[in-house]
Amino acid sequence: MSMNNSPNVFLDPNANRFQVNIINESHDNNETSQEDVGSDPPHYEETSFTDGAHNRLRISYRPGKRELYDNFLQNGEKTEASLHPYDTHNKMYYLQTFGHNTVDPVPKIDYYRNTGSVSGNKLSRPSLLEIHEQLAKNIAVSPGSVERVANGESTAGDETAVSKEEENKSGFVKFGWVKGVLVRCMLNIWGVMLFIRLSWIVGQAGIGLGVIIILLATMVTSITGLSTSAIATNGFVRGGGAYYLISRSLGPEFGGSIGLIFAFANAVAVAMYVVGFAETVVEILKESDTLMVDESNDIRIIGTITVVCLLGISVAGMEWEAKAQVILLIVLLVAIANFFIGTVIPTNNEKKARGFFNYEASIFAENFGPDFRSGEGFFSVFAIFFPAATGILAGANISGDLKDPQSAIPKGTMLAILVTTIAYIGVAICVASCVVRDATGSINDTVVPGMSCNGSSACSLGYDFSRCASQPCDYGLMNNFQVMSMVSGFGPLITAGIFSATLSSALASLVSAPKVFQALCKDNVYKGLHFFAKGYGKNNEPIRGYVLTFVIAMAFILIAELNTIAPIISNFFLASYALINFSCFHASYAKSPGWRPAFRYYNMWVSLFGALLCCGVMFVINWWAALITYAIELFLYIYVTYKKPEVNWGSSTQALYYINALDSALALTTVEDHVKNFRPQCIALTGAPMIRPALLDITHTFTKNNGLCICCEVYTGPRKLCVKEMNSGMAKKQAWLTKNKRKAFYAAVAADSFRDGVKSLLQASGLGRMKPNTLVIGFKKDWRNAAATQVENYVGVIHDAFDFELGMIIVRISQGFDISQVLQVQEELEKLEQERLALEATIKENDFEEGKSGICGFFRKASILNISKHEKKKESTINTIQSMHVGEFNQKLLEASTQFKKKQGKGTIDIWWLFDDGGLTILIPYILTIRKKWKSCKLRIFTGGKVNRIEEEKLVMASLLSKFRIKFADINIICDINIKPNKESWKFFEEMIEPYRLHESCKDITTAEKLKRETPWKITDAELEAFKEKSYRQVRLNELLQEHSRAANLIVLSLPVARKGVVSDYLYMAWLEILSKNLPPVLMVRGNHKNVLTFYS
């Protein structure tokens, strides 16, 4: 095999960096083809993965095919003409970017998609294990599977049939940024306010303050637009608009609360816009004296017909709705243009009498300053105008129907804000430069020669409107809402503009509300609303949401109390704006690496200012509506938080939790430990937490809300299998702790032995000051039947805990902790029960089928009969298994596993505080008594003393406990601890240790030495004699415990310490066995001999 190192290859500017060539197989290494000798020699060759060393791949170009190969490299596509997957030996090879066989994939967007992505199928790259481990040689390779593995695709899951919704993707109607965002936002922002109320606003505030009001409202919407753009460009945006943006940034709690009220606000806004349209129509009918019933009922009738028509357009599909929006925009633009044209058309006497004089400097000067009347002020006028600036989320609300939401939302929204703001300012300045504030409308109110003007611009222009100061007038900026119709070139076009503004806004809201609501229901944040998540047609239209929106809109149209509800709706929109701004600030502040918006023109502090500004504007518009909005949002937030929907969107709230936890942990490292702040921080060797729940429960009782608890598991065995099992179970076991409300962490290690694993945990667990200081393990009940290495490991763990200066707690209950057999039986029974239910469901389905005549009916009945027999067989199998496992399903064991979950009745916790270990032996039971389940139990103290000093010893202990502020019920001084136990007890102890004794004194020296070497774990006679007194003490203590504490709810006992290397493992286990045998639950505790209690303040 050779490599062409010709410099021409590297100097060729057209050559690809990673060159790929056709694969050919040659049986003779020296054999070359004519094509290889040509002007385009091979760049390199690679060896395949096949076993035979003689099988080689020669990578070469065919003449004139270089462009085809370049295209192959760039697109990753193969053509029949260019790739021949099989060689003469029927083995398959495949190409990769790097020119050799590999399962290591190149970067590809499909690996980063979410499951169920509508923009493409998610592919699964090979796992690290598949790449890291040796490639299996006995895998049968098919042409398709190798290609898929080579590209990092899975060979099973991804080949399943694509759902019908995905198949219809080609039929989606997707909008660009103009039709999808710009048009919708402009139509929604330009409301009826432009034609009816803007003249009144500029009349009240004047041109100067009027422009400031417009700019202030625009500032709120612009900041919100910038924040929206930043969030929208930080990843793929799906349908749901404001709800989607907020929920994915701040989490389901904020998103779920604001999503519901935002969808409701849009639904009610439909009614508001439709009533505005109906009122205009009724005014026209009134002028022509053609009312159907009366004003209010005519509004209801026209409103109902209008909503039905709009619903029809919406249900027909997004393309029809988009066409209607474009038509309405054209009408609206013509109406605005008509106004501007009207301002330059010379006026007539009738219009002059109504206050319109074309552009006049004197009118501009007069109207520049404010003239607030009827109790109005700057903020009240601003509150009236602000709803005219809303509507900036109309494009974002249909984000799921946009071709490229990340590009369309920023461009369309910001341009719409700019265009509409210019239009508002232009109309305000023009109308205030042409029309005076007050006019009588009478053409006879002209200035009489010789009359002195009062300084008004109308007077200087020949009209006397001075009587408007003493009596109301009907015309002018302050009095007539139809000023724009009067000024315009053709009045009916303004009416058409009003129709267009109201209908377009109503249509946009009618589309927005169901889309947002559907996205909310799909996320299943409110489980009761999941019915509305279903979509229909190629665009996944929320037909059910449309109907619900229609019902809400109709209800408010018929109620006709929109003036009351309007401020609340405005505040709902503002609350959405505030949260969008806060989302942008929060995501930036959390400094998550996932916050990488493509839109750069935002600032976190500006977004925060925008959020505060929105909250301020809410109170400016209507303080009681703002309070109602906050109350509703708070209620929904608490509800969603309580329900805890099972979603994980990587919100900035999660990122901030991490930042706060990290900062707190770092800050804690600078704080020196103090005895007053000591708390048990425990490593509990539970294994899988569900296997030994009782051990977890008792540990959790004194660590909950008080200290650290880590449930640990050690995997031993073949490393590869252990690591795989450990990695696959981590999340599941932590989830079990969370589900069962256990405030604990789960940690696991893979090690060569149990002791090595625990040693690793003792050294590496925890973070900073949050490190374990106490080890909790269950008593090894089967130590007499276990292998010597297991006993050695168990006792070695205790020694290691003391070496690392940790406290030690050994817990023993009569039934033991391990309930794995019980769980296994339960799992089997659950599987069988599921099978039985599935069979019942099948039979019910068959029962509902219509009977068929003839031979078909016969076979159908036979089929049902078969199923019935099968079901009876299954039921009998279940019963057999239940009776079979009745012995194994140990009810006592199951009850024992839950004993620490139950509320403990009135009783005692007996503390045998025999040795001063720093106070852990007394602190643990004290913590138990302040827990709800144990608060009815009293503490009884037992300690050793001398016969002639019983009262003095009691007083000393009582004084000590009083200084520690630990309440107790009784103190008992035990004076006969050191006497010999009775013969039966000692005989039992001797019989227990007999299998583990060496008996070297009965053998010759050589034999004894040999036995010591072969069984070093056995108890020697010398050792037993040396520790006879200590053995007596353990046996005697059990007798005393039987005598005094047999009826206690819990016994807390000082743990005896075995000197390392001196006391054998089996002798120590015998001490622990005899000490805690036939007793209520026992905690054998030994602190690290550092103070955990203090009486100093």
Side-chain angles (χ1 to χ4, degrees):
M1 186 175 294
S2 63
M3 179 177 286
N4 188 330
N5 291 326
S6 168
N8 295 332
V9 175
F10 302 104
L11 294 174
D12 183 2
N14 297 318
N16 289 304
R17 183 178 178 186
F18 301 117
Q19 189 61 57
V20 179
N21 307 305
I22 283 292
I23 296 174
N24 292 317
E25 187 182 71
S26 173
H27 297 289
D28 186 356
N29 294 340
N30 299 321
E31 181 184 345
T32 55
S33 64
Q34 273 308 106
E35 296 163 351
D36 295 332
V37 186
S39 59
D40 201 0
H43 285 202
Y44 51 81
E45 296 175 348
E46 291 290 347
T47 308
S48 76
F49 282 150
T50 50
D51 294 334
H54 66 279
N55 288 334
R56 296 182 181 272
L57 297 178
R58 184 169 60 257
I59 311 232
S60 61
Y61 285 116
R62 294 180 185 273
K65 296 286 185 178
R66 179 156 190 155
E67 290 181 4
L68 177 64
Y69 302 149
D70 289 346
N71 182 60
F72 175 92
L73 170 71
Q74 292 165 5
N75 301 325
E77 298 173 356
K78 298 169 280 295
T79 61
E80 292 180 5
S82 64
L83 179 63
H84 303 279
Y86 297 101
D87 64 11
T88 55
H89 290 287
N90 229 7
K91 302 253 183 180
M92 207 281 290
Y93 305 107
Y94 48 93
L95 296 180
Q96 275 294 294
T97 306
F98 299 99
H100 60 275
N101 293 347
T102 177
V103 294
D104 213 355
V106 295
K108 194 172 185 180
I109 191 171
D110 294 328
Y111 298 132
Y112 298 90
R113 297 190 191 281
N114 285 336
T115 305
S117 171
V118 296
S119 58
N121 292 330
K122 174 181 172 59
L123 300 183
S124 299
R125 70 175 64 81
S127 69
L128 187 60
L129 187 66
E130 291 170 342
I131 294 172
H132 189 224
E133 294 293 333
Q134 186 176 0
L135 190 65
K137 295 182 179 180
N138 57 350
I139 295 175
V141 179
S142 65
S145 67
V146 172
E147 178 191 334
R148 288 175 66 80
V149 171
N151 289 286
E153 302 175 28
S154 63
T155 56
D158 292 330
E159 290 180 352
T160 55
V162 182
S163 65
K164 290 182 180 180
E165 289 183 14
E166 294 295 325
E167 288 174 0
N168 289 332
K169 257 197 275 185
S170 57
F172 276 9
V173 177
K174 296 288 186 179
F175 303 112
W177 72 274
V178 175
K179 190 184 285 189
V181 182
L182 180 64
V183 170
R184 291 173 188 280
C185 287
M186 287 171 63
L187 283 170
N188 228 23
I189 294 171
W190 278 332
V192 70
M193 191 78 70
L194 174 67
F195 298 102
I196 294 178
R197 282 296 182 93
L198 190 57
S199 57
W200 177 86
I201 287 167
V202 79
Q204 288 276 357
I207 295 172
L209 288 181
V211 170
I212 290 174
I213 285 172
I214 295 170
L215 291 177
L216 185 59
T218 302
M219 183 169 67
V220 174
T221 56
S222 297
I223 293 173
T224 306
L226 293 173
S227 299
T228 304
S229 301
I231 298 171
T233 57
N234 189 52
F236 182 75
V237 178
R238 292 187 179 179
Y243 159 72
Y244 187 88
L245 298 178
I246 294 170
S247 63
R248 268 48 176 187
S249 293
L250 292 179
E253 296 83 6
F254 280 106
S257 58
I258 204 65
L260 199 60
I261 65 175
F262 186 72
F264 177 75
N266 273 287
V268 178
V270 174
M272 290 175 60
Y273 295 130
V274 167
V275 167
F277 167 77
E279 284 178 347
T280 308
V281 175
V282 168
E283 284 293 326
I284 295 171
L285 294 177
K286 189 177 177 183
E287 288 176 4
S288 58
D289 198 24
T290 53
L291 289 174
M292 291 176 280
V293 185
D294 54 54
E295 284 189 40
S296 58
N297 283 315
D298 279 12
I299 289 172
R300 291 188 177 100
I301 293 167
I302 294 167
T304 302
I305 295 169
T306 305
V307 172
V308 171
C309 294
L310 293 176
L311 179 66
I313 294 171
S314 301
V315 172
M318 288 297 292
E319 62 267 37
W320 286 99
E321 188 264 350
K323 290 172 184 175
Q325 292 281 29
V326 171
I327 293 169
L328 292 172
L329 179 63
I330 293 170
V331 173
L332 195 57
L333 290 173
V334 169
I336 294 172
N338 174 52
F339 164 75
F340 285 113
I341 292 169
T343 59
V344 295
I345 295 175
T347 185
N348 54 38
N349 290 334
E350 184 181 353
K351 288 186 176 181
K352 285 182 179 179
R354 294 180 178 183
F356 174 48
F357 294 95
N358 292 113
Y359 291 104
E360 295 289 343
S362 59
I363 296 177
F364 179 88
E366 184 179 75
N367 289 342
F368 190 83
D371 185 15
F372 294 113
R373 302 179 190 175
S374 305
E376 300 292 349
F378 177 83
F379 288 109
S380 63
V381 173
F382 172 78
I384 291 168
F385 171 77
F386 185 80
T390 59
I392 61 170
L393 296 179
N397 286 339
I398 63 157
S399 52
D401 297 293
L402 300 176
K403 288 178 184 175
D404 184 8
Q406 289 180 290
S407 171
I409 291 174
K411 283 197 291 188
T413 304
M414 298 312 296
L415 187 58
I417 292 172
L418 177 64
V419 172
T420 52
T421 302
I422 291 171
Y424 275 131
I425 293 175
V427 170
I429 293 174
C430 289
V431 76
S433 302
C434 300
V435 183
V436 296
R437 282 192 167 102
D438 298 293
T440 60
S442 173
I443 58 174
N444 297 320
D445 287 340
T446 55
V447 175
V448 178
M451 180 186 293
S452 61
C453 285
N454 56 4
S456 68
S457 57
C459 184
S460 63
L461 294 170
Y463 280 81
D464 178 21
F465 301 141
S466 57
R467 64 188 174 95
C468 290
S470 57
Q471 63 184 53
C473 292
D474 295 329
Y475 297 96
L477 295 175
M478 305 289 282
N479 310 306
N480 183 15
F481 290 153
Q482 304 298 325
V483 166
M484 286 191 67
S485 295
M486 177 189 69
V487 172
S488 64
F490 184 60
L493 275 179
I494 298 298
T495 304
I498 294 171
F499 289 171
S500 173
T502 51
L503 291 177
S504 64
S505 297
L507 191 57
S509 296
L510 185 58
V511 170
S512 296
K515 294 280 185 183
V516 173
F517 193 58
Q518 184 188 34
L520 177 69
C521 296
K522 272 185 177 179
D523 288 336
N524 212 16
V525 175
Y526 302 99
K527 296 188 184 298
L529 301 177
H530 193 66
F531 172 79
F532 295 97
K534 185 173 175 58
Y536 297 87
K538 59 188 178 183
N539 259 48
N540 199 30
E541 296 289 349
I543 303 297
R544 295 173 179 178
Y546 282 133
V547 173
L548 180 63
T549 305
F550 170 77
V551 170
I552 294 171
M554 281 298 304
F556 280 96
I557 288 171
L558 297 176
I559 291 170
E561 289 293 336
L562 292 180
N563 289 337
T564 306
I565 201 75
I568 298 177
I569 301 306
S570 295
N571 275 328
F572 279 2
F573 285 120
L574 273 168
S576 304
Y577 294 172
L579 275 182
I580 287 175
N581 285 312
F582 185 72
S583 298
C584 184
F585 162 77
H586 200 269
S588 303
Y589 183 74
K591 298 182 179 68
S592 172
W595 174 247
R596 302 183 302 273
F599 184 82
R600 297 294 180 188
Y601 305 103
Y602 76 96
N603 180 276
M604 60 183 285
W605 300 111
V606 171
S607 295
L608 179 61
F609 173 72
L612 297 174
L613 199 59
C614 289
C615 294
V617 171
M618 288 173 70
F619 282 96
V620 167
I621 290 177
N622 192 299
W623 65 268
W624 57 264
L627 291 177
I628 290 174
T629 303
Y630 285 132
I632 293 172
E633 190 176 335
L634 181 64
F635 170 76
L636 292 173
Y637 178 88
I638 293 170
Y639 174 81
V640 177
T641 304
Y642 175 74
K643 288 295 182 181
K644 290 183 180 175
E646 295 178 359
V647 294
N648 181 13
W649 295 322
S651 66
S652 59
T653 307
Q654 293 174 330
L656 199 61
Y657 283 158
Y658 177 82
I659 292 294
N660 290 340
L662 186 61
D663 289 343
S664 298
L666 289 170
L668 196 60
T669 58
T670 64
V671 179
E672 292 294 329
D673 288 332
H674 194 282
V675 64
K676 287 197 294 184
N677 293 323
F678 176 87
R679 58 196 67 230
Q681 305 200 98
C682 299
I683 280 187
L685 297 183
T686 58
M690 63 283 291
I691 299 298
R692 295 176 180 82
L695 184 60
L696 172 60
D697 289 338
I698 189 64
T699 308
H700 188 254
T701 304
F702 52 79
T703 60
K704 181 183 178 183
N705 298 327
N706 189 52
L708 180 69
C709 180
I710 306 176
C711 299
C712 295
E713 185 170 9
V714 178
Y715 288 87
T716 58
R719 185 173 182 80
K720 182 178 176 181
L721 294 175
C722 287
V723 170
K724 185 177 180 182
E725 185 182 354
M726 180 179 73
N727 291 341
S728 63
M730 293 282 280
K732 178 185 174 185
K733 288 161 187 175
Q734 184 63 57
W736 185 89
L737 289 170
T738 305
K739 183 181 176 183
N740 288 273
K741 298 180 180 177
R742 296 292 177 266
K743 295 186 177 181
F745 299 98
Y746 172 77
V749 292
D752 295 331
S753 69
F754 175 73
R755 183 177 181 181
D756 288 342
V758 176
K759 201 181 293 185
S760 299
L761 289 166
L762 293 177
Q763 293 177 88
S765 295
L767 185 69
R769 295 287 181 192
M770 293 186 294
K771 286 184 72 71
N773 54 30
T774 308
L775 175 64
V776 182
I777 61 174
F779 179 70
K780 189 171 181 61
K781 195 179 177 186
D782 63 342
W783 66 274
R784 281 184 277 183
N785 302 319
T789 53
Q790 291 184 3
V791 177
E792 182 186 359
N793 280 334
Y794 182 83
V795 177
V797 164
I798 300 172
H799 288 309
D800 293 336
F802 291 144
D803 285 344
F804 295 129
E805 296 189 339
L806 268 72
M808 188 75 211
I809 300 177
I810 300 177
V811 188
R812 182 173 186 179
I813 58 176
S814 58
Q815 298 295 324
F817 292 106
D818 193 338
I819 62 166
S820 53
Q821 287 186 350
V822 175
L823 294 177
Q824 190 177 354
V825 172
Q826 284 180 338
E827 190 177 347
E828 288 176 8
L829 293 175
E830 282 173 7
K831 284 181 182 177
L832 290 169
E833 179 66 14
Q834 286 173 1
E835 287 181 15
R836 187 182 68 79
L837 292 173
L839 285 167
E840 282 183 359
T842 306
I843 290 170
K844 283 179 183 176
E845 286 176 11
N846 285 324
D847 286 344
F848 280 115
E849 289 178 5
E850 293 181 0
K852 295 180 182 177
S853 59
I855 193 73
C856 295
F858 172 77
F859 279 121
R860 186 183 67 81
K861 288 175 184 176
S863 168
I864 291 174
L865 191 62
N866 256 346
I867 291 170
S868 301
K869 286 179 180 177
H870 188 51
E871 185 200 23
K872 286 176 184 175
K873 187 178 176 183
K874 284 284 181 186
E875 283 180 352
S876 66
T877 306
I878 291 170
N879 292 332
T880 306
I881 286 176
Q882 283 175 336
S883 60
M884 221 167 71
H885 287 297
V886 72
E888 296 176 27
F889 196 88
N890 191 329
Q891 191 62 30
K892 288 184 178 179
L893 180 59
L894 199 61
E895 287 175 4
S897 70
T898 60
Q899 62 180 308
F900 297 125
K901 289 180 182 175
K902 300 172 185 174
K903 183 176 174 60
Q904 305 294 318
K906 288 185 177 180
T908 63
I909 298 176
D910 287 0
I911 306 169
W912 290 70
W913 195 10
L914 305 176
F915 312 107
D916 195 329
D917 58 352
L920 188 65
T921 307
I922 200 77
L923 179 63
I924 294 295
Y926 166 74
I927 294 173
L928 289 176
T929 58
I930 62 176
R931 301 301 187 192
K932 191 175 180 180
K933 291 185 177 70
W934 292 85
K935 66 179 183 181
S936 299
C937 294
K938 305 296 183 184
L939 296 183
R940 291 199 306 171
I941 313 298
F942 294 83
T943 188
K946 296 177 181 178
V947 179
N948 57 351
R949 286 180 53 85
I950 291 178
E951 292 304 320
E952 290 86 344
E953 297 283 0
K954 273 189 179 182
L955 289 173
V956 169
M957 179 58 69
S959 173
L960 179 61
L961 294 174
S962 298
K963 286 182 178 180
F964 287 148
R965 302 169 302 283
I966 292 176
K967 294 180 180 179
F968 55 91
D970 192 16
I971 295 176
N972 293 278
I973 306 299
I974 308 298
C975 305
D976 51 354
I977 293 177
N978 291 326
I979 66 172
K980 286 185 179 181
N982 62 49
K983 291 180 180 179
E984 291 79 11
S985 299
W986 181 249
K987 185 180 178 183
F988 176 83
F989 179 77
E990 286 185 320
E991 289 174 354
M992 181 172 62
I993 64 173
E994 180 61 33
Y996 315 108
R997 291 186 61 182
L998 191 63
H999 290 293
E1000 79 280 6
S1001 58
C1002 303
K1003 301 175 178 63
D1004 60 80
I1005 297 174
T1006 307
T1007 307
E1009 290 298 327
K1010 184 180 177 184
L1011 286 172
K1012 282 182 183 179
R1013 286 194 301 272
E1014 290 175 353
T1015 54
W1017 44 270
K1018 284 199 171 184
I1019 306 168
T1020 64
D1021 293 339
E1023 178 192 359
L1024 192 60
E1025 186 62 31
F1027 293 104
K1028 196 167 190 177
E1029 291 298 325
K1030 201 165 185 178
S1031 298
Y1032 280 157
R1033 188 194 306 155
Q1034 314 312 322
V1035 179
R1036 176 60 183 155
L1037 275 171
N1038 183 259
E1039 292 176 353
L1040 293 169
L1041 286 162
Q1042 298 283 352
E1043 180 184 344
H1044 295 283
S1045 299
R1046 184 79 178 168
N1049 294 50
L1050 180 71
I1051 298 172
V1052 180
L1053 174 66
S1054 290
L1055 173 71
V1057 177
R1059 292 192 179 276
K1060 189 166 58 171
V1062 178
V1063 179
S1064 63
D1065 299 333
Y1066 276 92
L1067 180 59
Y1068 186 60
M1069 290 303 299
W1071 288 351
L1072 299 183
E1073 172 75 35
I1074 197 66
L1075 185 62
S1076 56
K1077 189 173 179 61
N1078 297 330
L1079 291 170
V1082 178
L1083 267 63
M1084 292 178 275
V1085 181
R1086 174 68 70 152
N1088 62 358
H1089 287 243
K1090 293 180 181 177
N1091 288 349
V1092 301
L1093 294 172
T1094 182
F1095 49 82
Y1096 294 106
S1097 60

